[in-house]
Amino acid sequence: AQTVTQSQPEMSVQEAETVTLSCTYDTSESDYYLFWYKQPPSRQMILVIRQEAYKQQNATENRFSVNFQKAAKSFSLKISDSQLGDAAMYFCAYRSAFGMRFGAGTRLTVKP
Amino acid sequence: GAGVSQSPRYKVAKRGQDVALRCDPISGHVSLFWYQQALGQGPEFLTYFQNEAQLDKSGLPSDRFFAERPEGSVSTLKIQRTQQEDSAVYLCASSLGQGVTGANVLTFGAGSRLTVL
């Protein structure tokens, strides 16, 4: 079974600074996707970024980028130039042909 | 529709009552997922549909939980004889295709918050 682990229940960052959220996963599959989702207090889950396991190049979406280390089964999210609107719960997720699993989440606080 | 729609947004039930939660996925989306999210936790997988076929129901916590998608579009999650431990947000998500491709990003609804008294 696949498991997703987020070891940081809470993180805090100063506005305009950079923060990195950690995620590790366990799988024996070779074909899968990894995602970071954001869940603000309004509760709607919003896709932040995704990474195909077969791609070596790290995905980037504006201020958001990942550090994907396939051998280490690590998938961290870096948020640059943090903004107040980035405050939310962030969930790492793993998707294969057998479904999609989420980590327990990291609550990110952005200090003005 | 433009997004995944869930109803009701909020439901309060007395212990022992039956509840039904509805999910309208994005039109044409093949895959539909139900998740249960307890307060302060990540979403926990409940069940997965590909069109009208329920391919995985391994996450349903008990036989009081039942999900259906009879015509391959709208889905209903039914909880019979609700218990306090069923209190959670129930999230529905859909995706265009199946398997592992770039088209399979999940789009989530806003969820249905169930409170069992």
Side-chain angles (χ1 to χ4, degrees), chain A residues 31-33 35 37 39 42-45 47 50 52 89 91 95-105 107, chain B residues 9-10 31 33 35 37 40-43 45 56 89 91 95 99-102 104-106 108-113:
Chain A
D31 189 16
Y32 55 88
Y33 269 67
F35 302 85
Y37 276 87
Q39 189 178 43
S42 65
R43 202 167 69 211
Q44 190 96 33
M45 294 277 271
L47 177 67
R50 64 181 172 183
E52 298 92 328
M89 284 289 290
F91 293 98
R95 179 156 189 192
S96 71
F98 300 100
M100 188 157 182
R101 299 294 188 268
F102 288 82
R107 181 175 301 281
Chain B
R9 287 292 306 274
Y10 302 92
S31 297
F33 296 79
Y35 289 86
Q37 187 176 22
Q41 301 295 317
F45 171 78
D56 187 349
V89 174
L91 296 171
S95 68
V100 188
T101 74
N104 294 318
V105 172
L106 296 191
F108 283 82
S112 292
R113 181 182 296 277

Side-chain angles (χ1 to χ4, degrees), chain B residues 4-116:
Chain B
V4 178
S5 178
Q6 291 188 246
S7 62
R9 287 292 306 274
Y10 302 92
K11 176 68 178 178
V12 178
K14 292 182 179 179
R15 190 175 60 175
Q17 283 185 332
D18 297 348
V19 300
L21 308 176
R22 176 187 169 103
C23 174
D24 275 281
I26 293 174
S27 179
H29 275 199
V30 169
S31 297
L32 186 146
F33 296 79
W34 282 99
Y35 289 86
Q36 180 190 58
Q37 187 176 22
L39 187 64
Q41 301 295 317
E44 293 288 339
F45 171 78
L46 292 177
T47 187
Y48 163 57
F49 289 87
Q50 184 178 308
N51 294 309
E52 69 277 5
Q54 189 174 22
L55 298 188
D56 187 349
K57 56 180 180 180
S58 63
L60 296 177
S62 77
D63 58 7
R64 297 185 295 104
F65 286 71
F66 172 76
E68 61 182 5
R69 194 186 185 197
E71 298 179 358
S73 55
V74 172
S75 177
T76 303
L77 176 66
K78 298 179 179 178
I79 308 173
Q80 298 177 324
R81 304 181 302 283
T82 52
Q83 303 295 315
Q84 285 187 324
E85 60 263 29
D86 300 335
S87 296
V89 174
Y90 291 85
L91 296 171
C92 177
S94 69
S95 68
L96 180 62
Q98 61 199 51
V100 188
T101 74
N104 294 318
V105 172
L106 296 191
T107 302
F108 283 82
S112 292
R113 181 182 296 277
L114 172 64
T115 302
V116 181

Side-chain angles (χ1 to χ4, degrees), chain A:
Chain A
Q2 303 86 23
T3 58
V4 181
T5 302
Q6 293 180 250
S7 59
Q8 306 154 314
E10 297 184 356
M11 290 286 283
S12 179
V13 63
Q14 203 72 34
E15 193 176 8
E17 297 295 309
T18 296
V19 64
T20 299
L21 309 183
S22 301
C23 174
T24 59
Y25 59 96
D26 185 24
T27 185
S28 58
E29 297 175 296
S30 59
D31 189 16
Y32 55 88
Y33 269 67
L34 297 164
F35 302 85
W36 279 97
Y37 276 87
K38 168 185 177 181
Q39 189 178 43
S42 65
R43 202 167 69 211
Q44 190 96 33
M45 294 277 271
I46 302 166
L47 177 67
V48 175
I49 197 166
R50 64 181 172 183
Q51 174 80 43
E52 298 92 328
Y54 64 86
K55 287 188 176 180
Q56 293 184 336
Q57 186 173 5
N58 290 324
T60 299
E61 289 285 343
N62 300 314
R63 298 183 294 107
F64 299 88
S65 62
V66 300
N67 183 5
F68 175 46
Q69 301 290 328
K70 190 171 184 178
K73 297 180 182 176
S74 170
F75 182 61
S76 62
L77 173 69
K78 186 172 81 170
I79 306 174
S80 304
D81 185 26
S82 297
Q83 300 176 359
L84 294 178
D86 295 334
M89 284 289 290
Y90 286 81
F91 293 98
C92 178
Y94 168 103
R95 179 156 189 192
S96 71
F98 300 100
M100 188 157 182
R101 299 294 188 268
F102 288 82
T106 296
R107 181 175 301 281
L108 179 66
T109 303
V110 181
K111 298 179 179 178

